[in-house]
Each structure stands twice: as structure tokens, then as C-alpha cells.
Amino acid sequence: MARVFVYGTLKKGQPNYKYMINTAKGLAKFQGRGRTVEKYPLVIAGKYNIPYMLNIPGKGYHVAGEIYSVDDQMLQFLDEFEGCPDMYQRTLMRIEVVEWEGKGGVGEARAAAEGIIECFVYSTTTYPPEWVGLPYHDSYDSSGKHGLSYVLRESR
């Protein structure tokens, strides 16, 4: 099992969460909530209003999201879903645990208790330069007050 931190449309209550709970895609077990230890710019960009975490450490906000344990099948699905490595790149990032529900082994419990764990995160280094000038967010909600509703893939 691998740990993945999701900050956008794959979170609970967001448009693509259905994929996280679709066991035909693999297993994803919710572990808790967290935020990036480093600051990153989280922008909503493109004609489909997609959330992107730009891989520019130290700029932006501590981005909030959810931590999941996923099996190899789900990780492979997420790589394909996220257009990895072209649109997003899957990298390890340090995540501060804000709330933990996970029931793992002793090592996992210790890591959660210490407050910092490593998770795979889909961020991007392949973005148009003007995206750096977009408004930054500390968390994502498709129906947030930014007014930029995500356009589902089936509606494009």
C-alpha cells in the first residue's frame, strides 16, 4: 500500500471522489486529513477549471487535503487519471497530519502521532508560466466562492 495525498477533485464531496470509492479501480482507504508542510501555489486553471498544485515549494499556502492508503491497482489508475507524467508528476511530499483515522501498523501510528508523513502527491512542473499569476488557494472546493466550477470529463 502507498500513501497518497489528494487536494482537488478526488476529495470527499468533490466531483471525482466517485473514483476513490470505486473498488473496480482498486482500493483506497481514507486515513485522515492533512496539509503540505511546505507552501505551494494551488491554482484553478484551464478551460475546465482544474485544480493544480504547482511544484514551486515555498510559494503560496500550506495546501489542505486528504490522505489515503491505496493499493497498486489504484495507484496505477490514479497515474492514468492524472495524466502522469505529462500533466501531473507523482512526487513524494511531506504532509502534516491534521486529523488521523488510519488504523495501520505501529510505524504508521508513530508517524501519524509525530504529525509528519510522506505521501505521493500529484503536482505539476509542466504548466504555462502565466499560471503562476493566478490566485492561490489553501484548499479546493469545486463549488467554492471562486466561482470556477470543475467541468466533468464526461461533459467536455
Side-chain angles (χ1 to χ4, degrees):
M1 300 289 276
R3 272 199 288 253
V4 175
F5 176 78
V6 298
Y7 57 84
T9 65
L10 292 167
K11 295 188 309 184
K12 290 180 181 178
Q14 296 304 307
N16 290 320
Y17 176 66
K18 61 191 175 204
Y19 297 114
M20 297 300 284
I21 57 174
N22 181 349
T23 53
K25 308 284 184 200
L27 297 175
K29 186 174 184 306
F30 178 77
Q31 298 288 285
R33 298 184 205 302
R35 63 186 202 144
T36 59
V37 169
E38 297 227 39
K39 293 179 177 180
Y40 290 94
L42 171 60
V43 300
I44 301 169
K47 61 183 176 181
Y48 303 122
N49 296 324
I50 297 171
Y52 293 92
M53 184 190 300
L54 308 183
N55 198 337
I56 309 172
K59 190 173 182 118
Y61 297 104
H62 300 283
V63 177
E66 297 174 348
I67 302 161
Y68 288 84
S69 284
V70 301
D71 66 6
D72 289 343
Q73 183 184 349
M74 179 58 82
L75 194 60
Q76 184 176 346
F77 166 78
L78 290 172
D79 280 354
E80 292 168 18
F81 182 81
E82 300 289 11
C84 185
D86 301 324
M87 190 157 102
Y88 292 93
Q89 296 79 48
R90 175 167 47 96
T91 56
L92 277 174
M93 288 186 186
R94 292 171 0 111
I95 302 299
E96 176 188 354
V97 175
V98 174
E99 179 186 319
W100 190 255
E101 293 180 14
K103 296 167 179 60
V106 173
E108 190 158 294
R110 188 180 316 115
E114 289 170 5
I116 309 281
I117 58 174
E118 281 205 329
C119 298
F120 284 122
V121 180
Y122 292 91
S123 63
T124 186
T125 57
T126 53
Y127 53 86
E130 61 269 19
W131 285 10
V132 177
L134 293 171
Y136 299 164
H137 305 273
D138 62 352
S139 67
Y140 175 80
D141 183 341
S142 178
S143 54
K145 53 186 183 216
H146 49 70
L148 301 169
S149 294
Y150 175 78
V151 178
L152 291 168
R153 288 175 182 216
E154 50 269 25
S155 303
R156 296 178 190 171

